Every structure is written in structure tokens, then in C-alpha cells.
Amino acid sequence: MGHRVDHEYDYLFKIVLIGDSGVGKSNILSMFTRNEFCLESKSTIGVEFATRTLQVDGKTVKAQIWDTAGQERYRAITSAYYRGAVGALLVYDITKRQTFDNVQRWLRELRDHADSNIVIMMAGNKSDLKHLRAVQEEDGHALAEKEGLSFLETSALEGTNIEKAFQTILTEIYHIISKKALAAQEAAATSTVPGQGTTINVADASGNTSKGCCST
Amino acid sequence: MLILAFHVSISFHALFPLLECAHSHTWINLCYNDETISLLQQLVIYETSASELDIIRDISRTFPSHVFFQQRHGPGQRSLYNVLKAYSVYDRDVGYVQGMGFLAGLLLLYMSEEDALWLLVALLKGVVHAPIEGLYQVGLPLVQQYLFQFDCLMKEHMPKLGEHFTQEMINPSMYASQWFITVFLYSFPFHLALRIWDVFLYEGVKIVFKVGLALIKFCHDDLVKLPFEKFIHALRNFPEGAMDPDTLLPMANSIKVSRRLEELKQENLKSGRVILGYGNAVGTQTGKQDERENSKKQRETKEAGRKRLDFGFAILTRLNDLMESKGGKKKSSSSKSLLYEAPLGYSIEDLRPAGGIKKFRSAAYSNVSLKLIDLLFHWLLFVLPVS
């Protein structure tokens, strides 16, 4: 997928959207990629896919986003999509405490199936529903800090922080990759063999070339 | 004669739509017919289901733009809740899984809640055709199997495109999961889905493979040129021409899949192929831990498959029993003896929720010839302009 490097972008980053069913993942995706919010949206069956190209630190980055079904039973299909993902947007619903409590389970899911260097951003969605709030923003911040995640409250309905959430995650990925590319160059210069760790680092593969793909 | 009638009726199905008023009767008759047993309410009112909240969450997200299901807490949504909850109580192992609502919703457009529930049970438990509850069981084993079979069939029927799929690392879980899990109800035009369902209820899941292959065949020349992203988009947005049932269904009908489907199913089971990790093709890294997990899951899948087989036999045997005891339609002695000799893993009592079902609906059509006679009768009744 996406091995072909064309001139439309400098980097291709694969991102997965995860979180409990009904937290608004599909609408976050449609808002980000098509600027649309659908009040009559269907529950996602399996996986959906969309892309958007944007500028990150002067580079053209294409975000290839996989939106996954949230129901636990579907993890048999969706967990395969974590592989090769360099970023994950973990979404919960600020009006449903349970979806926040389940964040830990989703993190475990990522630890089990995704690359260990995956950049994770947690998003407390539906921030427009202030009167129904069941998870305080501070709780979100506290958990994010404890787990070392980025965090934002978002509203797909109002478009609040959607752009920022993706921009943040893509920038972070880009910085990691740039650092690794630099490290790899230095290592090559001193004739050291890079990548001796047992973990296959997705970022390494693309970091060695100026144009690359991080989606596999 | 029988074989001829079979082919005639299948082609008939594919070529001509059922009249709107004929759906309810024909669909119910394709799956069972017996006196009504009113148990749905019992299941809904007196039993609790762990899936209740999940069901409620998805009610407004099932056919959200269909007029019958649009009204919040309206009759359509209430009926959908009742059927889904009743099913989740009836079969607690499966419970409620996203996608089931589309099946139940379609049935509710044509029949009562009670009929819709039992038709759903008949479909998932495989009273007439092979069971499809594996589409919703833990690990989604049947989804994995169907995707494997579809991938192989697609590559055999369209090798050039198959190669393109491989190059672009496109696998059917990216576009075809929904086709199987909702039998084309998720995103296909309603009139087309309806026509597919007429055939689906008659001949089983085979039609999903055939329609899927026909769709890809229809767009073959365009698809073969497309890169990954546009490809995925194209597979979600077929051209209008492909959505015409009078074009698509005859095309689907001309594709033969039965023999290969069976072979591929066996191959899938035997080869120790990673059934549950089929989506591995999406990524590139595999590890020993995955292999261990997958082989464990595969053992579980095999075990589940064996249980289903026992279960199918048990239901058929019991249904024959019921039909004969109430002086129903007579079965041929050969099939009866075969069924009675089969080891019974389950009895019909196992199907009943605690204190619930007194009697399971019998399927008068566990015999193909009876099914055909009735079907042809209905064709005569509904297709010919009889007053």
C-alpha cells in the first residue's frame, strides 16, 4: 500500500482512529478529510478509509487514515490495521464515562498489535455537549500525562480542534522521523550499523530516504 | 425435472424482481412456515441482555435515512430494538453485533417483529442454508473465511486484477467485510439490496460472492489502472450502471462459485492458514506470538465449525421430528434416516432461553423439492396478474 512514491507528497503517514463505538470517530474523519459532519451516520462496519494532504513543517504530508469499527467483536478484523500505523487517534466521548474508562484497554490493544513507537493522541470528543459532560477535561489531561500521550478535547460537530489534533499528531511523527533520519545519517557516517534493536521501527525505513512511505 | 426447476427458479429470481407485496410471504416461506409462536415479547420484557446499551446506541445508526427508522423512538426504532434484544437474549453467545441491525431492519420492513426474529434465527442458525452466525461470533470466524474465499475467487476469475490487488496490497477486508456482514445492506441502493436478498434467502451466501465478483468484473477495466487510494474509493462508490439489478444479477448468476467455495473452505481449514489473522496482509510484520495466537484461534474456529455442524444436524433432525409428529409435510425416508443417524451435539432444548421458548418453529422447507414447489406456486400467484 502506497509504496509508490509520487510527487504529490514528501511523506505518507498511516494513522488509525480507535476508541469505543459511538464516540464519533467516523465524524472526526469526515470532518477532517471532507469538512462534513453527518447527523445521520451509520455505525461503522469493519474499516473505512480516507486521506488528506497537508503541510507539516514545510513538508507535504499525506495522512492515510483508517477508521475502525469500535465494537469489541470487530477487533478480530480491525487490529490488523494497527500494523504499520505510525500514529493513532484514540477517541473517547466526554459525555460517556465508560468510553474514557476504556482508554486503558485501547492502549493495551495498541501495545499488543501496533508498532511500539506509534505516536498516540487522545481526543475527548463531543466537547460541544457541555451540559452532558461526564468526564472532566482535567481527568483527560491527567490520564494523558500519566500515559505519555498528547491530549485535546474535540468536537466533530463544531469542528473544534479536529484540525489541531491531526496537525499535532502528524507534526510529532514528522519530528520523530526527522530525528531518526539524522541519527541514521550520523550512524552511517561513523560506520555503525543502524537498527540493531529487535523492534522493527517503521519510522527507520522512511527516515533513510528523503521521500518515503510509513504506511507498511 | 427437479434440477431443471431449480435452475429455472434461480434464474427467475435473478432476472425478475419479486413484487413488493410478495416479499414478506415469499421470504418467510423460504425459511420456515408454521403456526405463530408469540415469544418475542417474553424475551424482550422478562429477560435482560448484556447488549441492551449497545443496541440502543446503534438503533438510530441503522438505516438512519430510511423513513421507517428515522423517527426517534418511533415504531420502526422500537421494533428494531425489540428484535435485536430478543435475539441477543435468545443467543447469548452471539449477543448483539453491529451489522445485525441491518438484517433485522430489512426484515422488519416486510413482516412483524415476531416473524423478523424467527427469520433472523433461521438465517443465523442455518435452518435451511449453512449457518451464518459465524459472521457475528467472537473472532468473526466466518467473515475471515469468506474474505479468504473471496480473495482466492477474485484472483482466479480476474488474474490480471488480482495481481494489481497484490501489488497495491489491497485485501478484501478493506472493502468486502460489509458485503458479507450485512449482506449488501450497509451501503448499497435499497432496490438492489432487496433483489440480492431474494436470491440470498433462496440459495444462501453464495450470492454474496457472485454479486461481489460481478461488481468487480463490471469495473474491471477501470480498477486495473487505479492506485491504492482511488481503488478503495472506487470499491466504495460503484458506477450507476453496476447498481442496476437487471444488469448485475444476471451477471452474478453467470459466475459459478459453488464447487470452488467448498474447496477453498476445506483448504482454509486444512492448511492451518491464519484465519483470524487474515488481515495480516495489511501489515508486513509477523511474529511468533501472532502465530501462536492465530493457531490457537484457528483451533477454536475449527471447534466452533464442528459444533455448528452438529448443531445443524440437531436442528434438522428435530424439525423433521416436529413436522412428522404434527402430521406435517412428509419427508423422504432417505434424508430422514441420514439425519436421524447423525450424532446429536445439541437438542432443541439447548436453543431455548431459560424458561422461554416452548417450541421452536419448524422449517417446512428443509427439503428442496418442497421449497421449489411452493416457490413456483408463489411465482404463479404473484407474478401472473391474478385477481
Side-chain angles (χ1 to χ4, degrees):
Chain A
M1 140 177 48
H3 278 305
R4 192 174 300 169
V5 177
D6 56 32
H7 300 290
E8 290 169 17
Y9 54 85
D10 300 311
Y11 290 94
L12 174 64
F13 294 156
K14 177 178 162 184
I15 313 279
V16 284
L17 262 169
I18 57 168
D20 279 7
S21 186
V23 297
K25 298 182 290 296
S26 300
N27 269 320
I28 287 180
L29 179 63
S30 66
M31 200 63 198
F32 179 62
T33 57
R34 298 192 302 275
N35 204 26
E36 283 171 15
F37 182 89
C38 183
L39 277 168
E40 293 183 343
S41 61
K42 288 179 274 194
S43 42
T44 305
I45 308 287
V47 290
E48 296 284 348
F49 167 83
T51 59
R52 195 182 135 186
T53 304
L54 63 170
Q55 295 295 315
V56 174
D57 280 8
K59 297 281 180 189
T60 309
V61 170
K62 183 175 227 173
Q64 185 187 76
I65 308 157
W66 290 91
D67 174 25
T68 61
Q71 199 182 12
E72 187 157 356
R73 197 76 51 100
Y74 276 97
R75 289 187 204 169
I77 294 180
T78 55
S79 61
Y81 287 83
Y82 303 163
R83 296 212 176 103
V86 287
L89 189 63
L90 200 175
V91 187
Y92 68 86
D93 175 352
I94 65 148
T95 71
K96 295 207 171 62
R97 184 80 203 181
Q98 185 68 43
T99 64
F100 178 69
D101 294 339
N102 282 343
V103 163
Q104 291 289 357
R105 295 173 69 178
W106 285 107
L107 288 172
R108 209 160 46 232
E109 190 74 7
L110 283 175
R111 273 199 293 274
D112 290 347
H113 298 278
D115 188 273
S116 57
N117 295 318
I118 192 166
V119 174
I120 305 167
M121 161 137 227
M122 185 168 75
N125 194 34
K126 308 197 187 179
S127 63
D128 52 291
L129 300 173
K130 293 180 186 70
H131 55 298
L132 297 172
R133 181 184 283 278
V135 183
Q136 296 308 313
E137 194 167 359
E138 301 79 67
D139 294 351
H141 278 296
L143 180 64
E145 201 170 318
K146 184 178 148 232
E147 297 292 339
L149 319 170
S150 315
F151 172 69
L152 275 176
E153 281 202 347
T154 58
S155 163
L157 180 75
E158 293 176 344
T160 319
N161 279 344
I162 300 295
E163 193 79 18
K164 194 175 167 190
F166 282 100
Q167 190 68 245
T168 309
I169 198 170
L170 292 168
T171 308
E172 203 175 320
I173 294 165
Y174 174 68
H175 286 166
I176 289 173
I177 280 168
S178 310
K179 265 187 220 155
K180 286 197 185 292
L182 202 64
Q185 274 169 14
E186 281 169 7
T190 55
S191 307
T192 315
V193 183
Q196 285 167 323
T198 47
T199 318
I200 300 166
N201 188 345
V202 185
D204 280 343
S206 61
N208 291 330
T209 53
S210 63
K211 291 188 176 196
C213 157
C214 299
S215 66
T216 53
Chain B
M1 180 62 198
L2 186 66
I3 292 168
L4 181 67
F6 186 74
H7 283 294
V8 167
S9 73
I10 290 274
S11 319
F12 213 64
H13 260 303
L15 296 176
F16 301 101
L18 278 174
L19 291 183
E20 197 65 4
C21 61
H23 278 110
S24 163
H25 191 81
T26 312
W27 285 7
I28 293 169
N29 277 316
L30 280 169
C31 289
Y32 60 77
N33 76 348
D34 199 358
E35 69 277 17
T36 302
I37 306 158
S38 189
L39 291 162
L40 176 130
Q41 282 197 315
Q42 202 174 334
L43 296 178
V44 174
I45 297 168
Y46 298 115
E47 303 282 341
T48 54
S49 162
S51 313
E52 275 166 48
L53 288 176
D54 290 349
I55 296 171
I56 291 168
R57 186 198 55 222
D58 285 343
I59 287 294
S60 62
R61 303 201 293 162
T62 308
F63 292 124
S65 46
H66 194 288
V67 66
F68 185 59
F69 298 105
Q70 244 172 0
Q71 192 193 340
R72 201 169 158 77
H73 307 308
Q77 293 199 359
R78 280 206 305 271
S79 292
L80 190 56
Y81 172 79
N82 287 344
V83 172
L84 291 172
K85 184 189 160 182
Y87 190 86
S88 72
V89 172
Y90 174 83
D91 184 348
R92 290 186 190 274
D93 287 341
V94 169
Y96 164 74
V97 183
Q98 291 179 329
M100 284 165 79
F102 289 88
L103 274 64
L106 175 72
L107 301 180
L108 280 169
L109 293 174
Y110 293 98
M111 59 196 76
S112 68
E113 292 176 14
E114 190 76 27
D115 282 333
L117 170 66
W118 294 113
L119 210 155
L120 193 62
V121 170
L123 267 178
L124 298 194
K125 296 293 175 188
V127 169
V128 175
H129 305 294
I132 55 166
E133 59 185 334
L135 287 176
Y136 305 113
Q137 283 167 331
V138 176
L140 312 181
L142 207 53
V143 180
Q144 314 268 5
Q145 181 197 310
Y146 288 162
L147 291 176
F148 165 73
Q149 288 169 306
F150 189 81
D151 197 27
C152 296
L153 280 173
M154 195 273 300
K155 285 172 178 162
E156 287 167 12
H157 282 262
M158 291 159 270
K160 194 176 164 197
L161 192 59
E163 205 174 298
H164 186 58
F165 269 69
T166 311
Q167 270 173 7
E168 294 288 324
M169 294 181 77
I170 293 160
N171 78 57
S173 81
M174 294 170 183
Y175 59 90
S177 314
Q178 300 165 353
W179 297 355
F180 288 107
I181 292 169
T182 66
V183 192
F184 288 112
L185 289 170
Y186 186 72
S187 54
F188 279 70
F190 199 72
H191 68 283
L192 173 62
L194 210 52
R195 289 280 298 277
I196 296 171
W197 266 72
D198 288 335
V199 188
F200 169 65
L201 291 179
Y202 183 73
E203 67 167 38
V205 76
K206 216 164 52 174
I207 188 66
V208 183
F209 288 93
K210 290 184 186 180
V211 170
L213 289 171
L215 279 167
I216 294 179
K217 213 169 206 171
F218 188 94
C219 310
H220 181 280
D221 295 349
D222 295 326
L223 289 175
V224 85
K225 295 180 221 143
L226 296 178
F228 179 80
E229 281 158 27
K230 288 180 179 155
F231 200 108
I232 297 284
H233 182 76
L235 287 171
R236 287 284 158 89
N237 301 279
F238 287 102
E240 218 167 282
M243 294 291 112
D244 175 9
D246 293 320
T247 308
L248 190 65
L249 282 168
M251 205 171 155
N253 200 34
S254 68
I255 301 171
K256 304 291 172 231
V257 296
S258 303
R259 193 177 49 82
R260 273 306 277 156
L261 272 183
E262 187 52 38
E263 286 169 1
L264 288 167
K265 181 181 165 187
Q266 296 308 327
E267 195 182 313
N268 194 38
L269 281 172
K270 268 189 220 157
S271 67
R273 196 183 306 281
V274 179
I275 294 184
L276 291 168
Y278 180 61
N280 277 353
V282 177
T284 50
Q285 305 158 28
T286 49
K288 284 194 169 158
Q289 194 191 347
D290 291 338
E291 284 168 21
R292 273 198 304 276
E293 275 176 20
N294 288 329
S295 68
K296 183 177 161 236
K297 283 174 184 168
Q298 199 183 352
R299 276 198 304 279
E300 287 167 5
T301 311
K302 278 185 185 173
E303 179 66 11
R306 196 185 57 75
K307 279 185 182 166
R308 270 206 304 277
L309 200 65
D310 290 348
F311 178 79
F313 272 126
I315 287 198
L316 285 175
T317 311
R318 181 64 183 180
L319 292 177
N320 281 350
D321 210 10
L322 281 173
M323 277 187 285
E324 299 215 334
S325 67
K326 65 182 176 62
K329 289 162 185 157
K330 204 173 181 313
K331 294 284 299 160
S332 72
S333 57
S334 60
S335 68
K336 183 189 153 198
S337 63
L338 174 75
L339 292 169
Y340 275 115
E341 282 163 15
L344 301 183
Y346 294 77
S347 70
I348 201 72
E349 280 72 20
D350 295 334
L351 290 169
R352 301 175 185 170
I357 297 158
K358 293 178 190 112
K359 194 176 172 191
F360 190 76
R361 288 199 140 176
S362 70
Y365 292 120
S366 50
N367 173 318
V368 163
S369 60
L370 286 176
K371 181 155 68 176
L372 276 168
I373 291 163
D374 194 79
L375 188 70
L376 291 174
F377 173 75
H378 284 294
W379 282 120
L380 291 173
L381 195 69
F382 290 113
V383 176
L384 296 176
V386 181
S387 61

